[in-house]
Amino acid sequence: MLQKFVLNKYILAMKKVNNCKKPYVLTAIALLFVATFVTACSSGDSEDEKPQASEGFLKCKIDGTPRVFNYQVGANDKPDDFNAIHFVTVGGLETNDPRTSPGFDFQLISDEGAKETTYTAANESGPDLTGQYYVQTSTGTTSYMGNGNSGTSFTLTITSITNWGVKGTFSGVLKSNDVFVTVTDGEFAAPYNKN
């Protein structure tokens, strides 16, 4: 519809300009309409080609409290086109100070290659999957980990793997010493690190 409108406008303009004695006006108008027509006719980008936000996000609830780890969110380095993605690593911080900020990260290692599916840490019988929430203080770092051992769990659902990065959801039960925390409603979109 837009293409037909632009073409009709071009024809009308050309009829008016045909009586014009200045050839540069005709050329300028013709170029303007051709540019408009080409822009209007361009096809839409495929999902992988669309520009996406360069910044990602990582959020969840820890023991029912919403937490946002949107600083320095990133995934592993971008894989090359010839190999399967054998690992997915995603992490983020609550503040922009990596020395003192609480953070959340997880890593999946898959011999078969990571795919858009759900993975569950299951002791030594499942995929190599670990989720970690850590709190840094002046006296050290306390890490809560979930990998399917000692009453812990971690589930990762990859919903998208593209040239931009990785997106999905996560949840689990993480442990530090004898203290457990429950992670729910986890979501992330992490761009690959820049090479």
Side-chain angles (χ1 to χ4, degrees):
M1 185 72 167
L2 181 60
Q3 297 166 348
K4 188 174 182 180
F5 173 78
V6 170
L7 189 57
N8 286 338
K9 285 289 192 183
Y10 175 76
I11 292 170
L12 286 173
M14 295 314 302
K15 286 180 181 178
K16 289 180 183 177
V17 174
N18 275 341
N19 295 329
C20 181
K21 305 286 188 230
K22 299 179 182 177
Y24 63 88
V25 173
L26 175 63
T27 303
I29 291 174
L31 288 174
L32 175 67
F33 278 106
V34 168
T36 304
F37 185 75
V38 168
T39 302
C41 294
S42 67
S43 63
D45 295 327
S46 73
E47 195 62 36
D48 278 347
E49 294 171 345
K50 287 183 181 176
Q52 300 192 27
S54 63
E55 295 192 28
F57 69 89
L58 193 153
K59 63 183 180 176
C60 63
K61 291 181 181 174
I62 297 178
D63 286 340
T65 302
R67 304 296 290 268
V68 178
F69 303 93
N70 282 353
Y71 288 92
Q72 300 179 26
V73 174
N76 43 278
D77 290 344
K78 184 176 180 179
D80 61 39
D81 292 335
F82 303 106
N83 295 315
I85 301 169
H86 290 285
F87 68 95
V88 172
T89 302
V90 173
L93 301 172
E94 273 191 323
T95 70
N96 205 22
D97 186 352
R99 296 169 296 147
T100 60
S101 177
F104 198 99
D105 61 50
F106 53 85
Q107 182 174 44
L108 166 71
I109 300 173
S110 172
D111 292 336
E112 297 82 34
K115 297 179 179 24
E116 295 172 357
T117 190
T118 298
Y119 297 91
T120 301
N123 242 341
E124 309 228 350
S125 64
D128 188 353
L129 174 62
T130 302
Q132 175 182 230
Y133 164 63
Y134 52 92
V135 180
Q136 301 182 88
T137 65
S138 59
T139 59
T141 302
T142 302
S143 294
Y144 298 84
M145 300 184 74
N147 57 9
N149 292 317
S150 304
T152 68
S153 64
F154 196 75
T155 300
L156 168 66
T157 300
I158 298 174
T159 59
S160 173
I161 299 178
T162 66
N163 288 332
W164 175 82
V166 184
K167 297 178 183 179
T169 62
F170 60 92
S171 63
V173 176
L174 314 181
K175 178 182 175 183
S176 177
N177 296 322
D178 290 329
V179 179
F180 290 87
V181 296
T182 301
V183 177
T184 57
D185 301 329
E187 294 180 70
F188 69 95
Y192 292 121
N193 289 328
K194 307 282 187 266
N195 292 335

